[in-house]
Amino acid sequence: MQSRQQFVEEPQLVSLQQAFSQWQQLAASTAAELQQLQQSHQQKLAQHAFTYWVQLPAVQQRYEAAAAAFASTYMQLLKQWGYQAFCMQRLETHAAHVLQLHRVLACLSAWKKLASGAARRGRLVAASIFKRQRSQLQQCCRSWIAASIAAYKQAVAEQRARVQETLTRQRLQLGRAQARDAAAQSQLLLLDEYNQQLQAEVAAACTGALAGLQFVPSFQWKSLPCEPKCEPLVPRARQAVLKLAALQPAKAATADAQTPINSHAACRSGSNGGSRAQPTWCGCLLVYGGVVGDRWLTDLTLLQIEEHKPGSFKLQSISVPHVSTITDASQMHGSAALTAQQGSMTSTLPLPVRDFAACVCSSNQFVVSGGFDGHTERLDLQLCVLQRQAAAVAADSGASQLCGSTASQHSNAAAKQEASDESNNDTGSSGCTSEWVASWQLVQARNRVPLGRCHHSICFYSRDRSLVVFGGWASRRGCLNDLWLFHLDHMEWWQPDTNGREQLNV
């Protein structure tokens, strides 16, 4: 920068000196000359300024070249100095590392000598210990083998003695049993002879005592035509016919729901002249499902059998409608009413199935089990509850849970039902003349359901409040002979332990 300023300032000083000297010379001249001198001075100044302006880029280039040369020289010097310093530092670090490595190697060699000596001593000690322990173990094994052989011999001797004793005792028992069998055979022969003598004496006595009596004609089947005002029952096969106590007249309501109707007494005359003292109603039967050609039915039909005059009967076929839920909890009476826990039943209509099984489980309830639905065999439980239509309409339309109750509550409900039946009989209509509606619910088990089946048997075991399922047929296993119980309080399937001779798969 100083050289550049000197190069620019020296021509200016020369020009200024010349201009000043000329100005002094011309100071005394005239004004015209002075003006001329000023003009010439301005021209020279402009020429000198243009010359300086033209030379300025070349000067700048020379300056930049000199600066670049200086910078490169400076950087080379810096690199040389830095490399020398780095090399010196690396040499010092390497020397320190080599010194430290020599020290570590010396320590390792000393440790190796000490460790080899200690390991050699340890191996010697371990070998002596192992030798001593091996001898002790051999002694223990010999002692254990000798003790085991002695114990085994003693056990074999004791077992042999027990077997001999048992064999002697069983031979004695076998001799006694053979003696008892021979005595029993002789007694059976004597009893057969005595039984034959008694039968001959009874036959002779009956022949003499009943020689003059007139017997009742033998029982004969009678066809009961349906009333003209009622739609006749569609002929079907594989249906379920049930007798529910709640549907029977008041005098027959106390009978067992699973016993057949005792209507054959109305077809017989007494031995004293043929007097007939029969109730007005003979009973009601409930027909469910069946097969008509290729169609599977799920309808409910109530058959009412009435004797309107001695020896003459009439049949009424009444279809029982379905409702979605149970609307009157009081209709679930009887000690065998189902008990359902929360969420264990869902209201639904039964699927059409064939070859199912059904049984009565209370006075107004029955269960349909299993069957073939067209694709596979099932073992679901469909509960049907029959209610009077008036009670079903008056009650709440929401789904009600079947709740278990105590024996006193069941007896109170049964007493109310019997009182209602008696009141209906007093007004001139029996218990089966009222309209009924059916509510279906799917009983959902809490555990795993057994294998689906059809052609099986089911009955209600009132003492344990369980449904008993036996046998059947499954497409995957053929004929079955297993026994399953469904507990109505716990809503669970379980298989009891069976004893005795197993039934054949028939």
Side-chain angles (χ1 to χ4, degrees), residues 192-248:
D192 289 338
E193 294 177 359
Y194 182 68
N195 189 16
Q196 292 176 3
Q197 293 177 3
L198 289 179
Q199 289 179 358
E201 293 177 359
V202 170
C206 291
T207 302
L210 302 177
L213 296 179
Q214 182 180 2
F215 289 95
V216 178
S218 60
F219 180 81
Q220 295 180 357
W221 289 99
K222 294 187 63 176
S223 177
L224 299 180
C226 187
E227 290 291 324
K229 63 180 180 180
C230 299
E231 183 179 357
L233 183 65
V234 178
R236 63 190 70 191
R238 303 180 186 177
Q239 73 277 5
V241 182
L242 306 168
K243 176 186 176 184
L244 274 69
L247 305 180
Q248 307 305 319

Side-chain angles (χ1 to χ4, degrees), residues 183-453:
Q185 291 293 336
S186 61
Q187 290 179 2
L188 286 176
L189 294 176
L190 294 175
L191 289 175
D192 289 338
E193 294 177 359
Y194 182 68
N195 189 16
Q196 292 176 3
Q197 293 177 3
L198 289 179
Q199 289 179 358
E201 293 177 359
V202 170
C206 291
T207 302
L210 302 177
L213 296 179
Q214 182 180 2
F215 289 95
V216 178
S218 60
F219 180 81
Q220 295 180 357
W221 289 99
K222 294 187 63 176
S223 177
L224 299 180
C226 187
E227 290 291 324
K229 63 180 180 180
C230 299
E231 183 179 357
L233 183 65
V234 178
R236 63 190 70 191
R238 303 180 186 177
Q239 73 277 5
V241 182
L242 306 168
K243 176 186 176 184
L244 274 69
L247 305 180
Q248 307 305 319
K251 294 183 180 180
T254 56
D256 186 11
Q258 299 182 7
T259 58
I261 297 177
N262 191 16
S263 60
H264 65 277
C267 301
R268 297 181 60 186
S269 61
S271 59
N272 55 359
S275 62
R276 302 172 184 266
Q278 299 296 330
T280 303
W281 287 93
C282 292
C284 298
L285 293 176
L286 188 65
V287 180
Y288 168 71
V291 180
V292 179
D294 296 334
R295 187 162 55 98
W296 303 347
L297 305 177
T298 58
D299 58 341
L300 276 174
T301 305
L302 185 64
L303 299 179
Q304 297 179 349
I305 306 171
E306 181 184 2
E307 184 185 17
H308 59 282
K309 62 181 181 178
S312 177
F313 299 89
K314 66 178 181 180
L315 176 66
Q316 294 183 359
S317 176
I318 303 174
S319 177
V320 180
H322 298 279
V323 295
S324 60
T325 58
I326 295 177
T327 57
D328 188 5
S330 64
Q331 294 293 331
M332 297 183 296
H333 55 271
S335 59
L338 288 180
T339 301
Q341 302 296 335
Q342 181 69 21
S344 61
M345 291 189 180
T346 58
S347 177
T348 180
L349 292 178
L351 296 175
V353 295
R354 69 178 185 185
D355 302 327
F356 56 87
C359 71
V360 177
C361 55
S362 73
S363 61
N364 67 329
Q365 300 176 4
F366 69 93
V367 173
V368 177
S369 168
F372 181 71
D373 60 358
H375 302 282
T376 183
E377 291 80 18
R378 308 163 58 92
L379 194 58
D380 50 359
L381 297 176
Q382 298 281 348
L383 172 66
C384 180
V385 181
L386 274 76
Q387 303 169 289
R388 295 189 183 279
Q389 191 171 7
V393 173
D396 185 15
S397 60
S400 62
Q401 298 295 332
L402 295 178
C403 302
S405 59
T406 60
S408 61
Q409 292 175 342
H410 289 309
S411 61
N412 293 335
K416 292 180 181 179
Q417 180 67 22
E418 292 176 0
S420 176
D421 294 338
E422 291 177 358
S423 62
N424 290 332
N425 292 331
D426 294 339
T427 56
S429 63
S430 62
C432 59
T433 58
S434 301
E435 295 183 355
W436 295 80
V437 292
S439 302
W440 288 94
Q441 290 196 356
L442 176 63
V443 181
Q444 296 181 352
R446 294 180 177 176
N447 59 348
R448 186 178 180 182
V449 180
L451 181 65
R453 62 197 65 200

Side-chain angles (χ1 to χ4, degrees), residues 63-74:
Y63 174 75
E64 290 177 356
F70 177 77
S72 62
T73 304
Y74 178 72

Side-chain angles (χ1 to χ4, degrees), residues 12 16 64-65 128 135 205 242 343 370 424 478 480 493:
Q12 290 179 358
L16 289 174
E64 290 177 356
S128 62
S135 63
L242 306 168
N424 290 332
L480 305 173
W493 285 97

